[in-house]
Amino acid sequence: LAKTTQPISMDSYEGQEVNITCSHNNIATNDYITWYQQFPSQGPRFIIQGYKTKVTNEVASLFIPADRKSSTLSLPRVSLSDTAVYYCLVGGSGAQKLVFGQGTRLTINP
Amino acid sequence: DAGVIQSPRHEVTEMGQEVTLRCKPISGHNSLFWYRQTMMRGLELLIYFNNNVPIDDSGMPEDRFSAKMPNASFSTLKIQPSEPRDSAVYFCASTLGGGSDTQYFGPGTRLTVL
């Protein structure tokens, strides 16, 4: 399983765009990149998944450069409710398990 | 669908007692995962099942922990005897396929061992 590295914490303000970068230098050819969000007292929730280039959904965008050794989760115009821990995971399609790292604790201030 | 259901939501017990946590995965999902979360160690995968069969239990901390999945709609995680260091939030998650598929987490069981 590819190891991921992400910042332990980040701070931003309401209305700003937030970018959280994850490093995964030993990503394998068939690995996908998945991001989860966890609010206090809740289980993690799937945000977005991608393989290369850019993926966008109603919540976030995921940017993956050509070498795929890193990825950036982009949250547009954040609000206080986006305060949460964000996890970056890497694993192959059909992989039986993924490993959650320590995540990035994002705090949005008024 | 009601999502992944866990019970109880909170459990307070004394050291040495047996604790049983329960999980009902989403209907039709083939894989089930048990996680433990603490401030110190983060979110740890304890064990996962595929089609009711335990595939990897390497995350189970010790013999005091055991998990079963007697059918596709029910799983238990048992701690016997419990110890204060077992205090944590225990999550169950299920997926349609493997772990790289979207994992749907339950609300968790907050366990406190006194």
Side-chain angles (χ1 to χ4, degrees):
Chain A
L1 295 171
K3 177 179 171 57
T4 61
T5 302
Q6 45 182 133
I8 294 176
S9 63
M10 292 180 67
D11 281 80
S12 189
Y13 295 90
E14 285 188 291
Q16 299 296 304
E17 177 184 82
V18 172
N19 297 309
I20 305 174
T21 297
C22 178
S23 297
H24 27 80
N25 291 318
N26 59 339
I27 189 170
T29 302
N30 65 340
D31 283 347
Y32 282 77
I33 300 155
T34 310
W35 286 79
Y36 281 79
Q37 172 191 56
Q38 185 178 24
F39 296 115
S41 303
Q42 295 184 26
R45 183 181 70 166
F46 172 89
I47 302 176
I48 197 166
Q49 183 181 70
Y51 183 80
K52 62 180 180 180
T53 62
K54 176 184 175 181
V55 179
T56 297
N57 61 24
E58 65 278 5
V59 176
S61 294
L62 179 60
F63 298 92
I64 306 168
D67 66 7
R68 301 198 330 120
K69 294 185 182 299
S70 67
S71 59
T72 299
L73 173 73
S74 182
L75 305 173
R77 303 175 68 84
V78 294
S79 64
L80 296 176
S81 63
D82 291 314
T83 294
V85 178
Y86 293 82
Y87 297 94
C88 164
L89 298 93
V90 173
S93 175
Q96 288 294 330
K97 68 179 183 181
L98 295 177
V99 177
F100 283 81
Q102 289 300 310
T104 296
R105 185 172 299 276
L106 175 65
T107 302
I108 305 301
N109 301 292
Chain B
D1 197 317
V4 175
I5 299 172
Q6 291 186 246
S7 65
R9 293 293 309 276
H10 301 272
E11 176 81 26
V12 180
T13 190
E14 292 187 347
M15 182 174 61
Q17 296 298 305
E18 177 181 291
V19 174
T20 299
L21 311 181
R22 298 173 176 80
C23 175
K24 176 178 169 54
I26 293 174
S27 178
H29 280 192
N30 296 320
S31 294
L32 182 141
F33 305 79
W34 281 102
Y35 291 90
R36 177 174 68 176
Q37 187 169 40
T38 61
M39 287 295 292
M40 291 297 294
R41 301 177 67 89
L43 196 60
E44 303 173 277
L45 176 63
L46 300 177
I47 185 172
Y48 68 89
F49 296 83
N50 183 256
N51 292 321
N52 312 336
V53 176
I55 302 299
D56 185 345
D57 64 355
S58 59
M60 295 287 262
E62 48 197 275
D63 292 344
R64 297 184 297 106
F65 285 70
S66 63
K68 294 181 179 180
M69 191 165 186
N71 57 62
S73 60
F74 183 65
S75 177
T76 60
L77 177 68
K78 184 177 294 185
I79 307 172
Q80 167 63 18
S82 59
E83 297 181 2
R85 59 191 170 122
D86 301 330
S87 297
V89 180
Y90 292 81
F91 289 105
C92 174
S94 70
T95 73
L96 193 60
S100 61
D101 287 359
T102 300
Q103 295 193 33
Y104 295 86
F105 282 76
T109 296
R110 181 174 296 277
L111 173 64
T112 302
V113 183
L114 303 175

